[in-house]
Amino acid sequence: MTPSPHKTGCARTEGYYPIPDSVKATYLPKNKAVFNGGSNNVIKSSSVTSRMNRVNNRRLLVGMDLHKRTTATDSDILKFNQLKSRKKQLRFAKSPIHDWGLFAQERIDANDMVIEYVGEVIRQKVADHREKRYERAGVGSSYLFRVDDDTVIDATKMGNIARFINHCCTPNCNAKIITVDKQKKIVIYANRDIDKDEEITYDYKFPIEADKIPCLCGSKGCKGTLN
């Protein structure tokens, strides 16, 4: 599949228009396997964009069991304090997985705390209202992350670069909720040693659904879909 030719003969005269992920995959070799071969998991290009726009919203629906691990150990608290005093060197840049991604600018050791997921702490009812408002406003990706049954962190407008972390079926990090000074924090830990310039990823752990969302992580263990 190749991009449609420009009607005017010049891309600059046609303004902005979205490029379907199925088209992007044709010039991102790492991701071609997701859309080639007639897999049952492949989604028609006409429906890919709208479904991908809901990817981050589904964090609200995910039973990640994170809230079951809310007690920080002494080691967690020490690492959290170290992270506050000396933040890891990270940068966000265009990602071959999806739009923007987060990349390490230094080597990160296994089990190290990489970054805290920061945003505005809101109640579930407020999160539900905002999700609908973001959809009406055409916000493609909102960054609502559930902390527990009635608490959500909204990083859409008041977040940090942790919101750019992409999903991967074989991630190098994992998300965990810990309690520090009676406040619940979402932190990203390294599953293994991470090299400089490597993209930071974790598994979104979306529930299995019939309406599939394609995964573009390109890893050897890629399942083809996020759900």
Side-chain angles (χ1 to χ4, degrees):
M1 184 175 182
T2 58
S4 301
H6 300 293
K7 296 179 180 179
T8 63
C10 179
R12 292 183 179 181
T13 65
E14 298 183 12
Y16 170 81
Y17 55 89
I19 301 175
D21 288 316
S22 54
V23 174
K24 291 180 182 179
T26 63
Y27 51 82
L28 292 177
K30 177 181 178 181
N31 300 328
K32 282 185 179 179
V34 177
F35 291 92
N36 293 338
S39 169
N40 291 331
N41 290 329
V42 176
I43 298 178
K44 294 181 180 179
S45 59
S46 60
S47 59
V48 168
T49 301
S50 61
R51 291 174 186 173
M52 288 304 294
N53 284 343
R54 299 197 302 271
V55 164
N56 285 312
N57 288 343
R58 290 176 186 243
R59 291 177 179 173
L60 288 172
L61 306 176
V62 175
M64 297 181 69
D65 291 330
L66 293 179
H67 60 281
K68 295 180 181 179
R69 304 192 298 275
T70 57
T71 302
T73 64
D74 291 340
S75 176
D76 286 328
I77 295 174
L78 176 61
K79 290 177 181 178
F80 188 81
N81 291 334
Q82 290 175 338
L83 184 67
K84 288 298 183 183
S85 61
R86 196 276 184 187
K87 294 182 179 180
K88 292 289 191 296
Q89 297 299 306
L90 307 169
R91 64 181 174 88
F92 69 93
K94 295 298 289 183
S95 167
I97 297 177
H98 178 70
D99 287 345
W100 297 93
L102 191 64
F103 296 81
Q105 285 194 292
E106 63 176 314
R107 177 182 169 83
I108 300 174
D109 294 331
N111 301 316
D112 269 5
M113 195 176 289
V114 179
I115 190 172
E116 179 187 0
Y117 192 95
V118 175
E120 185 181 2
V121 180
I122 58 177
R123 292 179 294 109
Q124 180 64 60
K125 289 184 178 180
V126 176
D128 293 339
H129 173 74
R130 287 190 181 183
E131 181 178 4
K132 295 176 182 178
R133 189 177 71 192
Y134 291 149
E135 289 180 353
R136 288 196 301 267
V139 178
S141 296
S142 65
Y143 304 91
L144 300 161
F145 206 131
R146 182 191 296 279
V147 176
D148 55 32
D149 291 340
D150 194 46
T151 307
V152 174
I153 290 182
D154 183 2
T156 307
K157 297 182 178 180
M158 299 180 62
N160 64 352
I161 58 176
R163 62 183 179 172
F164 295 114
I165 300 177
N166 277 316
H167 163 87
C168 182
C169 297
T170 54
N172 51 28
C173 292
N174 66 86
K176 180 179 178 181
I177 293 178
I178 64 174
T179 301
V180 179
D181 295 331
K182 298 182 179 181
Q183 291 186 331
K184 293 179 180 179
K185 307 284 187 179
I186 299 175
V187 292
I188 309 300
Y189 283 80
N191 288 335
R192 57 170 175 78
D193 293 341
I194 300 174
D195 295 327
K196 181 181 178 182
D197 296 325
E198 185 176 351
E199 182 168 1
I200 305 297
T201 59
Y202 66 88
D203 188 344
Y204 287 179
K205 295 185 182 296
F206 287 167
I208 296 175
E209 299 176 4
D211 192 15
K212 298 298 183 183
I213 301 172
C215 175
L216 304 177
C217 73
S219 68
K220 291 182 178 179
C222 181
K223 301 172 184 177
T225 66
L226 275 72
N227 59 346

